[in-house]
Amino acid sequence: AGLLTERRLANLRLFRANPEARSFPLLTGLAREAALDPVGKACREAFSSLPGVEEIIVFGSEAAGTATRGSDVDVLILANQPQPLSPLVMAAIAASNALNGREVNPLWYTRNEWEAMVAEGNAFAVSVTKGPTRRVADLRSERGSFQCR
């Protein structure tokens, strides 16, 4: 299938991205990044500086594209250490809420905990893994170079 579809409306030629094209998911991801994804940006800003954070992944209605103004934002944080119970974490959650203008629900797991949950068939972990997700930060190669997706 071609990258674009075309239709005519009177003397106008209207083009749009073809969802059947193999590169459609890549193009929509690039378009989202080009629009500066305010939710992803707010989550990156709020959580990426916390100790041990490796990945920040948005899931649920926000990742599916069905979120409304009243929807919360579900965020999976994968880290190389257990969540530090500190005012720093609470401040990051508050900052993310303020930046998004919506309630943010971060779930913090070590990578080993998360991979074990998926391997054991934990219903929640499997549903997140199989559902729509959007990785908004990948810090694993960081602490050298920051990668956003």
Side-chain angles (χ1 to χ4, degrees):
L3 196 56
L4 297 174
T5 61
E6 175 186 358
R7 76 178 176 99
R8 290 194 176 268
L9 180 64
N11 64 344
L12 299 174
R13 292 174 61 191
L14 305 174
F15 295 91
R16 66 185 268 193
N18 181 0
E20 302 299 318
R22 285 188 347 182
S23 57
F24 184 76
L26 173 65
L27 292 175
T28 55
L30 291 172
R32 184 179 295 121
E33 284 184 35
L36 296 177
D37 180 18
V39 169
K41 182 179 179 192
C43 290
R44 279 192 303 276
E45 288 177 8
F47 299 115
S48 65
S49 64
L50 294 175
V53 171
E54 293 183 343
E55 282 185 88
I56 303 168
I57 301 167
V58 173
F59 66 98
S61 63
E62 180 64 35
T66 59
T68 65
R69 282 189 196 165
S71 298
D72 64 351
V73 179
D74 299 307
V75 180
L76 174 63
I77 298 172
L78 298 178
N80 62 18
Q81 64 185 40
Q83 178 178 348
L85 297 175
S86 71
L88 185 64
V89 173
M90 299 312 293
I93 293 170
S96 184
N97 288 342
L99 289 168
N100 282 310
R102 293 166 42 200
E103 181 180 348
V104 176
N105 296 312
L107 299 171
W108 184 296
Y109 294 95
T110 66
R111 183 164 305 281
N112 290 341
E113 288 172 328
W114 184 253
E115 289 172 356
M117 289 170 64
V118 171
E120 293 165 2
N122 174 283
F124 167 70
V126 169
S127 72
V128 169
T129 303
K130 290 188 176 190
T133 60
R134 190 167 76 240
R135 182 180 294 124
V136 297
D138 186 343
L139 306 168
R140 289 173 290 180
S141 64
E142 209 238 30
R143 320 296 187 209
S145 75
F146 182 76
Q147 296 177 12
C148 297
R149 295 187 184 144

